[in-house]
Amino acid sequence: MHSKLVIIGSGPAGHTAAIYAARADLKPVLYEGFLALGIAAGGQLTTTDEVENFPGFTSIRGSELMDNMRAQSEACGAEIVSQTVGKVDLAQRPFKFWLHPMGDEETLEEETHTADSIIIATGAKARRLYLPGEEKFWGNGVSACAVCDGSLPIFREKPLVVIGGGDSAVEEAVYLTKKAAKVTVLVRRDQLRAGKSNARRLANNPKVEILYNTSPVEIKGDEGPRGLMKSLLIKNVKTGKEEEIPANGLFYAVGHEPATHLFKDKLKMDEDGYLITTPGTTETNIPGVFAAGDVQDKKYRQAVTSAGSGCMAALEAEKFLAEQEDVDVPNGIEGETDVRKGKPETNGDVPEYRQNPLL
């Protein structure tokens, strides 16, 4: 099958790109993947119990939000395929890719598919520790995003725990002090990996207690299918002493893994495996291939920023495809040509965008 535009990924970035591309008559095909990264189609939001910071919704379940996005993509004309893309060849256009059979991540189908342009929105997955009780209380006390979940009622004025010793852990812990009664930070080593200023900010916060040489052992809480987390069993790695501390929330800040293994040695990545895009755009180092969402964003990692970059990717793909067909596109992205010509009146090195009447 040949497509003008293919989108790989089914989170906010992928579906926003699909909506914009479909409304621009690009007839996009979105491959949502079958349990890609071990997560259902829809990405990380499907594991989030409540979302309170996505515009337009005071509160909505993450899975419901993604169902709404999927329905809107289809309503706009995008085709959605549930299979997982297992191999890509980006050496020349049209780009080639192959699919895994449904439910089989080991083999590839023989059929070769092609696309004139590809938007990569495969996301990133928070690293988990797989502690006893983690699966039971995930979404009911256990989270990997303080900014996403820290304001939920189950965490307000309660004792919370953050695991990690880097700058991200510090940011998460400091954010949670605005909501929590107390925040305990567990650091496996005898010092923080965070920068000096961040470490000082954490240590000086009166709501924070830092436990060094300490690791989590087991998450405990209410019984029943909707039981909430109540405490955490911890262990001093030097003395071996175990202790149970009150904790209504546990936040992992031990890093993320971008889903970029498919593009290794094919696209430029940073040292952590995130796709590198031209600043101010979603362009990768290969013309016609764009990256949106958490797969190229290691800083914000929010649903709304992912959706925004999905919009950018669709607009840029539309412009790219029109240029390949030598078709003038009056409604879309302006200023990019001026940027490349070095005109001083253009907004720095970043293309300017204007409202697209098609949208």
Side-chain angles (χ1 to χ4, degrees), residues 45 48-69 149 152:
L45 270 186
T48 302
D49 194 47
E50 283 188 79
V51 178
E52 296 183 329
N53 59 0
F54 197 88
F57 299 94
T58 303
S59 178
I60 186 171
R61 292 178 64 86
S63 56
E64 183 183 355
L65 179 59
M66 293 316 306
D67 286 344
N68 291 349
M69 290 190 193
D149 302 328
L152 295 176

Side-chain angles (χ1 to χ4, degrees), residues 9-318:
S10 61
H15 279 298
T16 303
I19 291 166
Y20 274 71
R23 288 172 60 84
D25 294 328
L26 297 183
K27 296 179 174 58
V29 180
L30 183 150
Y31 289 89
E32 62 182 2
F34 181 77
L35 291 178
L37 293 181
I39 300 175
Q44 291 188 88
L45 270 186
T46 60
T47 68
T48 302
D49 194 47
E50 283 188 79
V51 178
E52 296 183 329
N53 59 0
F54 197 88
F57 299 94
T58 303
S59 178
I60 186 171
R61 292 178 64 86
S63 56
E64 183 183 355
L65 179 59
M66 293 316 306
D67 286 344
N68 291 349
M69 290 190 193
R70 190 182 195 278
Q72 188 174 357
S73 294
E74 289 189 308
C76 288
E79 179 184 349
I80 298 178
V81 179
S82 295
Q83 287 175 262
T84 304
V85 176
K87 179 183 177 183
V88 296
D89 181 354
L90 307 177
Q92 62 182 17
R93 295 181 61 243
F95 305 118
K96 300 176 182 177
F97 62 98
W98 294 262
L99 305 176
H100 288 303
M102 283 293 289
D104 180 0
E105 299 297 303
E106 301 297 325
T107 61
L108 291 171
E109 294 182 347
E110 293 183 4
E111 184 179 3
T112 300
H113 302 268
T114 56
D116 294 324
S117 182
I118 294 178
I119 294 175
I120 301 167
T122 47
K125 182 180 180 181
R127 293 194 181 102
R128 293 168 64 164
L129 301 182
Y130 300 100
L131 299 172
E134 178 180 308
E135 197 63 39
K136 174 178 173 56
F137 296 108
W138 191 267
N140 291 310
V142 184
S143 170
C145 181
V147 175
C148 311
D149 302 328
S151 295
L152 295 176
I154 61 172
F155 299 128
R156 292 175 188 167
E157 295 303 318
K158 299 287 176 38
L160 306 178
V161 175
V162 173
I163 297 177
D167 288 303
S168 294
V170 171
E171 296 293 340
E172 301 255 306
V174 171
Y175 177 84
L176 289 172
T177 59
K178 302 173 184 178
K179 317 290 181 182
K182 175 186 177 182
V183 177
T184 302
V185 180
L186 304 186
V187 184
R188 185 173 178 82
R189 302 165 59 187
D190 57 5
Q191 62 181 356
L192 292 167
R193 290 183 292 104
K196 289 184 178 179
S197 60
N198 262 344
R200 188 163 47 248
R201 183 160 63 112
L202 186 69
N204 292 338
N205 193 304
K207 279 191 171 183
V208 173
E209 179 183 10
I210 306 173
L211 299 181
Y212 295 102
N213 302 308
T214 304
S215 62
V217 176
E218 183 181 358
I219 303 165
K220 298 184 177 183
D222 299 330
E223 296 299 325
R226 299 289 294 171
L228 299 177
M229 176 183 175
K230 296 296 183 184
S231 64
L232 180 68
L233 185 64
I234 60 176
K235 179 180 179 179
N236 185 298
V237 296
K238 285 194 171 181
T239 65
K241 180 183 177 182
E242 293 188 353
E243 176 187 0
E244 187 171 337
I245 61 173
N248 293 82
L250 174 63
F251 292 83
Y252 289 159
V254 291
H256 287 70
E257 297 175 358
T260 54
H261 62 280
L262 194 61
F263 312 103
K264 187 177 180 181
D265 300 324
K266 296 178 176 67
L267 292 171
K268 287 185 178 179
M269 305 178 188
D270 68 9
E271 65 278 5
D272 295 316
Y274 287 85
L275 295 180
I276 295 174
T277 53
T278 302
T281 79
T282 61
E283 298 171 353
T284 68
N285 60 297
I286 294 182
V289 180
F290 305 89
D294 288 7
V295 76
Q296 52 85 52
D297 172 21
K298 62 196 302 183
K299 182 176 181 180
Y300 299 105
R301 295 193 296 262
Q302 298 298 302
V304 69
T305 52
S306 291
S309 65
C311 164
M312 292 169 60
L315 292 175
E316 289 169 350
E318 179 190 5

